[in-house]
Amino acid sequence: MNNNHQLSEVQTIIWDIMNNIKPIIERNNYKYYILGGTLLGAIRHKGFIPWDDDIDIGMPREDYEKFIKNISKELPDYLKLNTYWDKSPHHYYFSRIVDTRHEVKRTGSTVERNEPVWIDIFPLDGMPNNGLIRRIHMWKLLYARARYHIATFDKINLKRPGRPLSERIVIWWVKHTGIGIHSNPREWLDKIDKLMKKYSIKDTNWVCNFMGQYKFKEMFPKEWYGQGKMYEFEDSRLMGPAEYDKVLTQQYGNYMTPPKNKNAHATEFVQ
C-alpha cells in the first residue's frame, strides 16, 4: 500500500467498493479508465489524493451499458448500483456504486443532505470529427446540462472551488429569479442521454466525459486513451489513459502542484 499517507475512514470504504467491483470488471472484460482526481492521485500520490472522497471511473459507452445492466447481480448485498432512472434519491446522470452502510453529508448546496459513500462510473462518448458540427453539438450539450442543473438547483454544490464566471452568473441569476427551477430534471437527463449517445466512439476521433466536473476539458483525442495503461494505486494497480500527462495537463495545468482549495465535493463523513 502507498505509505505516503494513511487512508481516511471514507477512503477505506471507497477502496473496499473498488476492490469488490474491480474483479467483476476484469472478469467480464469491461474496458475502463480511472479519471480526474483518481488518475491525478495515481500519478502524484500513487493512490488517493489525501483529501479525496471518491473514485472516478470512465467506461466507453458500450462497456458502460453492459456494466450497469449486469453489475447488480454480482455485488454483495451492501453495495448498490444507483442510476438516474431508478427509484433512489440519486439525481445524477452518471451512475454510482454506493455502500449503503455508510454516509457522508453534502454541505455545499442550499439544502444539506446525506448520501451513501460512492464510486462514480461515467460513460465515455464520441464527439463529431467535423469541427463545426462538434461545436454545435457541444452547445446543445451545454444547454441541456445547464437546464438540468437549474432544475436541481437545491442540490448544486455552491462551494465548489474554481467554478467558471459564466456558471457563477447563472447561479446568481437563478438564485434571485427562480427561473427554470420547477422544470422536470428527468426530462433534461433524458435529452442529455440522447445527445451523448448520438456519436459512437468507434466512428469518431474524440472521446468526452461530458458529465464530469470539467465538461469539455475532459474531451480528448481518442489515442490519448488508447488501450490504456496500468498505474499504481494504493496496494493495487488501476487502468488509466495511456497519455496521462496530456490528459492531466489539459485538465489541471501544472498538476503536480497541489491546490489550495481541496475538498471539491464539500462533504463530511457521517458514519
Side-chain angles (χ1 to χ4, degrees):
M1 180 174 289
N2 176 8
N3 292 318
N4 292 334
H5 66 278
Q6 183 176 355
L7 295 186
S8 68
E9 290 179 283
V10 172
Q11 289 170 346
T12 300
I13 298 163
I14 295 166
W15 196 228
D16 176 72
I17 301 174
M18 189 68 219
N19 283 324
N20 271 279
I21 68 171
K22 184 187 177 195
I24 300 173
I25 290 172
E26 293 175 342
R27 184 165 61 247
N28 289 282
N29 294 315
Y30 299 136
K31 185 174 287 187
Y32 80 97
Y33 305 90
I34 53 175
L35 306 176
T38 308
L39 177 62
L40 176 58
I43 301 304
R44 197 168 68 195
H45 304 276
K46 306 298 182 186
F48 283 99
I49 296 173
W51 53 88
D52 206 1
D53 55 9
D54 76 341
I55 283 178
D56 295 325
I57 294 174
M59 291 183 171
R61 173 64 67 171
E62 184 176 345
D63 295 270
Y64 176 83
E65 298 289 347
K66 291 177 182 177
F67 176 84
I68 61 177
K69 179 180 179 181
N70 298 311
I71 187 65
S72 294
K73 295 178 289 188
E74 302 192 60
L75 293 174
D77 290 342
Y78 63 90
L79 295 182
K80 302 294 181 184
L81 170 70
N82 284 172
T83 62
Y84 84 82
W85 58 83
D86 65 25
K87 295 181 179 179
S88 73
H90 180 88
H91 67 281
Y92 307 96
Y93 173 77
F94 51 86
S95 300
R96 280 181 170 173
I97 304 296
V98 302
D99 188 324
T100 57
R101 304 170 300 175
H102 304 283
E103 293 184 335
V104 293
K105 180 185 290 185
R106 304 299 297 266
T107 62
S109 54
T110 55
V111 178
E112 291 187 355
R113 66 190 185 280
N114 287 4
E115 292 182 350
V117 177
W118 70 85
I119 283 181
D120 287 333
I121 315 292
F122 295 91
L124 301 176
D125 291 292
M127 295 291 287
N129 291 328
N130 179 278
L132 177 59
I133 297 175
R134 185 164 64 248
R135 181 63 59 179
I136 294 171
H137 188 59
M138 289 166 67
W139 279 108
K140 289 180 179 178
L141 284 167
L142 286 171
Y143 177 76
R145 176 171 168 149
R147 291 300 304 268
Y148 149 69
H149 279 302
I150 291 171
T152 57
F153 189 75
D154 63 332
K155 296 181 175 67
I156 291 177
N157 179 9
L158 302 178
K159 296 180 181 179
R160 199 190 85 191
R163 190 180 288 280
L165 176 61
S166 59
E167 292 185 12
R168 298 201 301 270
I169 291 172
V170 171
I171 288 172
W172 181 91
W173 176 257
V174 175
K175 191 173 182 179
H176 287 81
T177 66
I179 292 175
I181 62 174
H182 299 300
S183 60
N184 186 344
R186 173 64 184 269
E187 292 181 3
W188 288 106
L189 288 175
D190 285 341
K191 291 178 182 180
I192 290 170
D193 185 64
K194 185 177 180 180
L195 284 167
M196 290 175 63
K197 292 176 179 178
K198 187 172 182 179
Y199 298 96
S200 170
I201 287 179
K202 294 179 180 178
D203 303 324
T204 62
N205 299 324
W206 296 88
V207 176
C208 187
N209 174 28
F210 174 66
M211 291 306 284
Q213 178 177 331
Y214 299 95
K215 298 184 283 295
F216 296 120
K217 277 193 173 183
E218 292 192 66
M219 180 174 70
F220 309 113
K222 186 162 60 177
E223 62 265 24
W224 289 12
Y225 278 98
Q227 294 303 309
K229 181 179 177 181
M230 297 298 289
Y231 299 97
E232 291 181 38
F233 198 96
E234 300 302 335
D235 58 355
S236 185
R237 288 159 58 86
L238 301 176
M239 182 70 71
E243 300 285 352
Y244 76 86
D245 181 66
K246 293 178 180 177
V247 168
L248 292 176
T249 298
Q250 180 169 306
Q251 282 189 249
Y252 301 105
N254 181 14
Y255 60 86
M256 293 304 288
T257 301
K260 295 180 180 179
N261 296 314
K262 296 181 177 180
N263 190 344
H265 292 124
T267 59
E268 296 176 4
F269 184 58
V270 177
Q271 62 177 13

